[in-house]
Amino acid sequence: MPYSSSPPQIPTASRTPAPSTDEATQSIAILGLGAIGTLMAWHWREHVLYGITRDNSRCQRTLIDQQQTAHSLTLPTWQHEAIDWLVITTKASATLEALQSVANQLPQVQNILLLQNGMGQQQQVSDWLSQQQCSANLWAGISTEGAYRQNTEQVVYAGSGDTHIGLWQAQHPTASIPNGLTVVDDIQQRIRAKLAINAVINPLTAVFRCRNGELVSHDEYRQALKELATEVQQCFETLQQPLNFDLTERSLAVAEATAANQSSTLQDVLHQRPTELDYINGYLIRQAQQLNIELPLNRRLLAQLS
């Protein structure tokens, strides 16, 4: 179900919400309470939290931590309160539509954070916010936290990690940062690096229906990883955005370190959900097209999983 069929425009005359008086406490609304959204809500449970759902109902989730303890989370619906952060954790393909669904409330927002896989949606959002003359600061982030949905209301915390965020474009706002987030100056480079690894591991685990570690231990899968990693690395070099590491070695290391994990793409395929590959491998294909570069392995995998 779409968030909104005809997104309202952001009012041009709007006020900027005042920052939180208590620097330790942030007001945060989360749009997209799937795996990562629920996990971040649990991390931020000491803050003032709101949820955003399609039907404006109260958001109830259960987070099962790494000690197998269940934590119940209930978030009230965001109702135009001034907030420090609007955090979007939807699938990349749903980002702009989700944001447009709350367009009338954006004057109440100080900072917008896109915490997702993939690339391309960040610039789409940036361009749209500029058109709407929205004054909120746009941040992008990546996370190595592991979480997956056990069902529609339960999320399992599978592994701790780091979450890095940075301003999408050069700005110098004064913002209090919620706990668990580390601000970096090179967020676009970090997103590209994660996208490169995801472009190798995610489609292969989904095609082979295997856990990450089998890409290392299974000879056929390992060879496919090497070939795909080579194509992706050459793509970034041709785009004059070279990676500062060997993608084959890094992909094998990540697959081995997360051997028992199912990639998010494999989870989507197994649950018959749309994948994010159009904003991972698809993003690379579109970038390469602009230079008349062919990525046959990426194209074939994307076609198999579409």
Side-chain angles (χ1 to χ4, degrees):
M1 181 186 297
Y3 285 88
S4 172
S5 58
S6 56
Q9 298 296 303
I10 300 174
T12 55
S14 62
R15 70 179 184 85
T16 301
S20 300
T21 54
D22 179 1
E23 293 296 312
T25 302
Q26 301 285 291
S27 51
I28 306 169
I30 301 176
L31 202 171
L33 281 164
I36 192 66
T38 299
L39 178 57
M40 298 313 295
W42 182 67
H43 284 324
W44 295 333
R45 58 194 181 278
E46 300 303 321
H47 294 291
V48 178
L49 293 182
Y50 303 97
I52 304 170
T53 60
R54 290 182 175 90
D55 58 2
N56 290 324
S57 61
R58 288 170 66 86
C59 308
Q60 294 184 312
R61 297 290 188 272
T62 299
L63 189 285
I64 301 173
D65 68 20
Q66 292 170 286
Q67 287 72 46
Q68 300 301 305
T69 301
H71 304 266
S72 180
L73 299 168
T74 301
L75 278 64
T77 301
W78 182 37
Q79 300 282 5
H80 297 270
E81 294 89 350
I83 57 172
D84 298 299
W85 293 86
L86 171 61
V87 181
I88 300 178
T89 57
T90 64
K91 294 287 189 183
S93 59
T95 306
L96 186 57
E97 185 180 19
L99 189 61
Q100 289 171 335
S101 74
V102 295
N104 282 339
Q105 293 165 255
L106 293 184
Q108 302 294 92
V109 179
Q110 191 86 334
N111 299 280
I112 298 171
L113 170 60
L114 308 181
L115 190 56
Q116 308 161 304
N117 287 328
M119 202 163 186
Q121 74 275 20
Q122 299 95 345
Q123 193 58 47
Q124 288 177 344
V125 168
S126 179
D127 292 343
W128 183 77
L129 290 174
S130 295
Q131 293 169 7
Q132 308 306 312
Q133 299 181 338
C134 178
S135 62
N137 303 306
L138 179 61
W139 302 71
I142 55 172
S143 182
T144 57
E145 295 266 52
Y148 63 89
R149 292 171 64 174
Q150 190 156 271
N151 52 50
T152 56
E153 294 189 357
Q154 286 189 325
V155 168
V156 176
Y157 188 10
S160 57
D162 300 314
T163 302
H164 295 102
I165 70 169
L167 286 162
W168 184 247
Q169 294 180 324
Q171 296 169 291
H172 299 282
T174 55
S176 296
I177 309 299
N179 59 291
L181 303 181
T182 301
V183 176
V184 296
D185 294 328
D186 59 346
I187 192 61
Q188 293 197 30
Q189 181 179 336
R190 289 171 184 258
I191 291 174
R192 282 195 295 271
K194 185 179 182 186
L195 181 139
I197 296 167
N198 285 345
V200 176
I201 292 176
N202 286 35
L204 291 178
T205 53
V207 164
F208 295 134
R209 300 293 199 273
C210 70
R211 294 184 182 272
N212 293 0
E214 293 176 70
L215 295 179
V216 180
S217 61
H218 192 292
D219 289 343
E220 178 188 352
Y221 302 169
R222 187 185 182 101
Q223 182 60 33
L225 181 149
K226 291 179 178 179
E227 293 173 0
L228 181 58
T230 298
E231 182 175 282
V232 171
Q233 181 127 31
Q234 290 175 347
C235 173
F236 276 105
E237 290 173 357
T238 306
L239 294 171
Q240 298 185 352
Q241 299 173 350
L243 303 172
N244 59 3
F245 54 86
D246 183 274
L247 183 55
T248 298
E249 293 180 1
R250 182 69 60 86
S251 298
L252 287 170
V254 170
E256 188 168 22
T258 59
N261 291 6
Q262 289 184 335
S263 73
S264 58
T265 302
L266 176 57
Q267 292 177 46
D268 288 336
V269 169
L270 294 177
H271 290 89
Q272 299 182 322
R273 298 189 299 250
T275 74
E276 294 178 302
L277 292 184
D278 192 46
Y279 284 79
I280 301 175
N281 302 80
Y283 172 81
L284 290 177
I285 291 169
R286 290 189 294 275
Q287 295 297 301
Q289 275 182 322
Q290 297 178 20
L291 298 178
N292 296 316
I293 302 168
E294 285 298 322
L295 301 177
L297 297 179
N298 282 269
R299 282 189 177 278
R300 186 167 74 239
L301 287 166
L302 192 61
Q304 285 180 264
L305 295 167
S306 297

